[in-house]
Amino acid sequence: MTDQEQHARFRLDEVIHAPVRFSIVAALAHVEEADFAAVRDAVQVSDSVLSKQVTLLERAGYVEVKKGYVGKRPRTWLKLTPVGEAAFNGHLQALRAIAGQ
Amino acid sequence: MNTIPSDSVDIPLPGDVTAAQARAALSQASSAQLVTPRDLRLLTGFVAGVGVIVGAILYLSWATLSVGNQGGFAISMSLYAAALALLLVIKSRARAIPRGFRRTYNIGFAVTMTAYCSGILWIFGHQSPWPSASVVIPMSIVTAVPCLIAAALVHRTARA
C-alpha cells in the first residue's frame, strides 16, 4: 500500500502529535528562534514540562537548543530544524486531509 | 516518521483523530504566536537605529574632518560605538525573532554599508574643496534609508 492509498492518520507524526509538543512546534514554526521562557509562557507549561518535551523534540532532530548568555543571565534559545519543519508541514498536511480541507 | 519514545506516551495515539480535532489543531497551528509587540518594537528599533547611526557617522565624519577637528571625529566614533553597543543590548532583549528577520536585516544593513562606504570614498575623494552640507546631508539620509526600509518590512511581515 502506498502513502497515497493510506488513510491520512498514518501520516501524522507521532512525535509532534502530542498536544504540548504540537504547541511547541506550532509556535516555533512562526519564528527563526525563540527564548525558552517565551515558549514556556506561550504554551503555558512549567519549565520542567517544557524541558522534557523539548528534549524529546531535540532527540528526534526536530528542535535545536542553543544555550548562551545575555549579560550575566543564562538564556536558552529554541529553533525548529529543517527536519522538524518538514515533519511539521507533513503533519499539517495529514491534519488537513483528516479535516477534509 | 518518528515514533514516540516509550517513556513519553502521554496522549492518545494518532489513529483516533477526528475531523473536528484536526480542524482545531490546524486552527491552533495557524494562530500560534510567539513574537510579541514588545519584541517587534525592540527588533525594528534595532534595525532602524543601525541605519540612523551609520547615516549619522557619515555626516559627523565629514562635519569634523572637513574642518580638521580630529578630536571631534574621535568623539563621534566613540559615540557611534556606544550607540551600536546599546542597540545590540536592545536587540538581545527580544524573546522571539520572527521568520525572515535576519535576511531582511542583512540585506538592509549590507545596502546601508555599501552606501556608507561609497559616501566616505566620494567625500574623501573631493577634499579640495570639501563637499557642502547640502550634498552630505542627503547622502547621510540615503545611507540610513535601506535599514529604515528593512525595519518597516520586519514590522509589516511579522504582523501579517
Side-chain angles (χ1 to χ4, degrees):
Chain A
M1 185 183 277
T2 65
D3 277 359
Q4 294 294 326
E5 294 162 337
Q6 279 186 331
H7 189 280
R9 69 175 181 275
F10 293 112
R11 298 201 301 273
L12 290 171
D13 188 295
E14 292 182 10
V15 173
I16 294 175
H17 186 64
V20 173
R21 290 196 290 273
F22 181 83
S23 298
I24 295 167
V25 174
L28 290 177
H30 292 271
V31 296
E32 288 187 358
E33 59 184 13
D35 182 29
F36 183 93
V39 179
R40 179 201 60 205
D41 294 347
V43 179
Q44 298 176 4
V45 291
S46 65
D47 282 358
S48 62
V49 167
L50 180 60
S51 182
K52 184 184 171 192
Q53 300 302 330
V54 165
T55 301
L56 292 170
L57 288 167
E58 190 182 18
R59 216 182 287 164
Y62 290 178
V63 167
E64 184 185 322
V65 180
K66 200 172 66 183
K67 292 181 187 292
Y69 284 86
V70 174
K72 289 181 179 175
R73 287 184 181 177
R75 284 276 280 276
T76 301
W77 289 90
L78 307 178
K79 180 183 178 180
L80 206 57
T81 64
V83 173
E85 207 174 314
F88 184 59
N89 287 335
H91 189 80
L92 290 183
Q93 276 181 6
L95 286 173
R96 282 190 202 103
I98 293 169
Q101 292 179 2
Chain B
M1 183 187 291
N2 282 282
T3 55
I4 302 174
S6 58
D7 63 345
S8 65
V9 183
D10 50 4
I11 53 137
L13 288 171
D16 299 331
V17 177
T18 64
Q21 287 170 330
R23 277 193 290 274
L26 287 167
S27 168
Q28 184 194 345
S30 63
S31 64
Q33 188 57 269
L34 281 177
V35 180
T36 63
R38 177 181 176 272
D39 293 330
L40 263 186
R41 276 198 304 277
L42 293 170
L43 294 170
T44 53
F46 165 75
V47 179
V50 167
V52 169
I53 65 169
V54 173
I57 200 63
L58 176 66
Y59 173 78
L60 289 172
S61 299
W62 166 82
T64 53
L65 294 177
S66 64
V67 293
N69 184 355
Q70 302 287 344
F73 175 69
I75 290 169
S76 57
M77 287 306 283
S78 304
L79 288 173
Y80 168 76
L84 189 58
L86 178 67
L87 287 171
L88 288 170
V89 170
I90 288 171
K91 177 180 172 278
S92 73
R93 290 182 188 271
R95 300 205 312 168
I97 310 292
R99 274 191 182 267
F101 170 79
R102 286 210 173 84
R103 185 172 179 275
T104 306
Y105 167 68
N106 286 341
I107 292 171
F109 182 67
V111 179
T112 280
M113 288 311 290
T114 302
Y116 169 76
C117 292
S118 305
I120 286 288
L121 287 173
W122 187 82
I123 289 169
F124 288 92
H126 294 78
Q127 293 184 22
S128 49
W130 286 86
S132 67
S134 62
V135 174
V136 177
I137 289 172
M139 282 176 74
S140 302
I141 293 169
V142 167
T143 298
V145 162
C147 272
L148 295 175
I149 292 172
L153 287 175
V154 166
H155 192 265
R156 199 180 68 176
T157 308
R159 289 183 71 89

